[in-house]
Amino acid sequence: MYVPFNQLPNSARIWIYQADRPLTEAEIATVQPALQHFATEWTSHGRSLQASAEILHHQFLVIGLDEAVADASGCSIDASVRFVRAVEDALNVSLLEKSRLAFLVDGQVELLDRRELKAAVAAGQLVSDTPYFDATVARKDGLQNSFPTAASRTWLARYFH
């Protein structure tokens, strides 16, 4: 069952998929009905899931699930990944690639290959308080409170010591 994203509880489980490029307003408008349709139809062992999906910062597809209503099963997780692949195909974008990190630089989302991280820190391109979009955030409250957050407050902290 679809629920507006802002009505999911703070404890809702989330999955973040990072696009390899910013999505345009037209692309977001095109995919919006599919996001709502997916959340409406998403089930686990025949039970409706209280879910939502949203595009944030023109770069992130976020799927949210109220696990207090019903948990996602392996099959329902597989269904969500199939949906993400369908969005990739529809928008000609990659959402499942994990090799790039997203930072907020001068108000824009910038992607950096993981292999370039140490060099970017050494060169001063990234500093400890550079806002980082941590795609490992797993709950809605974390999304609200720390997406983005200072790189030094995430798993990247070790690169700034």
Side-chain angles (χ1 to χ4, degrees):
M1 161 175 42
Y2 171 78
V3 179
F5 199 85
N6 64 356
Q7 291 180 19
L8 285 173
N10 287 338
S11 61
R13 183 174 177 188
I14 61 166
W15 293 266
I16 301 171
Y17 300 94
Q18 175 180 296
D20 62 350
R21 63 170 175 79
L23 302 176
T24 66
E25 290 293 336
E27 288 173 322
I28 293 170
T30 297
V31 79
Q32 204 63 45
L35 299 180
Q36 188 167 342
H37 180 76
F38 166 75
T40 300
E41 299 295 320
W42 199 21
T43 62
S44 176
H45 298 294
R47 295 175 59 199
S48 287
L49 297 175
Q50 192 165 353
S52 193
E54 189 166 277
I55 303 288
L56 298 178
H57 302 283
H58 290 89
Q59 197 98 24
F60 307 94
L61 167 58
V62 181
I63 297 174
L65 171 65
D66 183 354
E67 290 187 310
V69 174
D71 289 344
S73 65
C75 291
S76 60
I77 301 276
D78 289 347
S80 71
V81 173
R82 281 192 302 276
F83 168 71
V84 171
R85 285 196 173 114
V87 172
E88 285 183 320
D89 291 343
L91 299 179
N92 194 26
V93 67
S94 174
L95 291 162
L96 295 168
E97 171 61 45
K98 303 286 188 205
S99 68
R100 297 170 80 190
L101 306 173
F103 296 89
L104 188 62
V105 179
D106 297 327
Q108 299 291 322
V109 176
E110 288 197 13
L111 301 179
L112 179 71
D113 188 288
R114 285 179 190 268
R115 295 170 294 193
E116 300 169 356
L117 183 61
K118 284 182 185 178
V121 170
Q125 287 176 275
L126 298 175
V127 294
S128 64
D129 63 348
T130 300
Y132 170 62
F133 292 98
D134 186 356
T136 66
V137 170
R139 289 176 19 128
K140 184 183 169 202
D141 57 357
L143 185 71
Q144 292 172 310
N145 299 328
S146 57
F147 194 79
T149 194
S152 63
R153 296 182 56 204
T154 71
W155 67 271
L156 296 173
R158 67 179 184 253
Y159 290 96
F160 300 101
H161 295 276

